Amino acid sequence: MRKQLETLLPEIQFIGDARLRELTTRVWLEAMKQARWTIEDLPGMPFTLLIPQTDVSLVQHTRAVTLTALKIAEVLMKEYGGRVAIDRDVLLSGAVLHDVGKLFEYKHEKGKFVKSRNGELLRHPISGAAFASQHGLPQEVLHIIAAHSKEGDGARRTIEAIIVNHADFVNFDVLK
Ligand SMILES: [Fe+2]
């Protein structure tokens, strides 16, 4: 499954730090195992249940958000130089993992993806951050996962979390 996941989410390989790259990969693989999804389930898994019949998958959304976040970071670093300090690896890991909790938020019922009991009780920023925490991801990455959505509104987001929050909403709003 690891090789197939690496093919589906090639942006994981952009993470320079070998340990963070491995932990990021492991969280996706272990979350799939725990939520009992197979690699074949991924292409048909929607990125949201809020846009009925969307054909954009969770994997495609994750890739687009990661690539958007990276572009934003590149522009900010080029234009503002030392005024903004961005940790590229933390940004990439957080972007790749921001929606990993959706693997727990969904269940398959009568051929459809619907909200699970877990999803009703714990939204994906919470379940994703908790799961990543169990696997030793650094706090900066947990913060991006936990704060990428409305749960982070009102909190002081790090620069990397600000970028992922906006990258996520751009990729959501244009499709709704
Ligand atoms: Fe997202």
Side-chain angles (χ1 to χ4, degrees):
M1 187 142 91
R2 173 179 284 261
K3 272 267 156 295
Q4 291 146 303
L5 182 74
E6 286 171 354
T7 305
L8 284 174
L9 279 176
E11 289 72 21
I12 294 177
Q13 305 310 315
F14 296 176
I15 301 171
D17 182 85
R19 179 170 158 75
L20 187 58
R21 191 167 62 238
E22 171 58 24
L23 289 177
T24 305
T25 307
R26 211 179 289 166
V27 168
W28 255 93
L29 290 173
E30 291 299 318
M32 287 190 58
K33 205 195 279 180
Q34 186 153 323
R36 302 205 182 152
W37 298 111
T38 66
I39 203 82
E40 289 76 25
D41 290 319
L42 284 182
M45 185 181 289
F47 84 103
T48 181
L49 299 177
L50 300 173
I51 304 173
Q53 274 118 38
T54 182
D55 63 351
V56 176
S57 71
L58 179 61
V59 166
Q60 191 178 12
H61 167 79
T62 300
R63 296 194 58 210
V65 169
T66 305
L67 293 169
T68 305
L70 201 52
K71 289 278 185 211
I72 294 172
E74 282 166 6
V75 171
L76 296 180
M77 286 191 284
K78 181 165 176 282
E79 294 303 320
Y80 304 131
R83 294 191 199 91
V84 285
I86 299 170
D87 187 320
R88 189 176 181 273
D89 278 356
V90 163
L91 177 76
L92 284 164
S93 176
V96 165
L97 293 175
H98 82 282
D99 272 349
V100 76
K102 288 198 176 174
L103 295 171
F104 303 110
E105 210 173 57
Y106 298 163
K107 66 177 177 179
H108 217 182
E109 205 171 72
K110 296 179 191 147
K112 276 171 65 178
F113 288 92
V114 295
K115 192 168 269 191
S116 67
R117 175 78 178 140
N118 193 304
E120 284 166 8
L121 296 174
L122 296 172
R123 260 172 47 83
H124 64 277
I126 310 297
S127 56
F131 193 77
S133 173
Q134 287 169 18
H135 290 81
L137 271 289
Q139 282 181 2
E140 290 76 9
V141 173
L142 305 182
H143 168 76
I144 295 173
I145 302 170
H148 83 269
S149 201
K150 64 184 177 190
E151 281 77 357
D153 292 351
R156 188 171 167 83
R157 290 185 174 99
T158 59
I159 292 175
E160 294 84 0
I162 292 170
I163 295 171
V164 173
N165 169 245
H166 284 272
D168 188 34
F169 278 87
V170 165
N171 280 280
F172 182 87
D173 286 347
V174 296
L175 295 170
K176 74 180 180 189

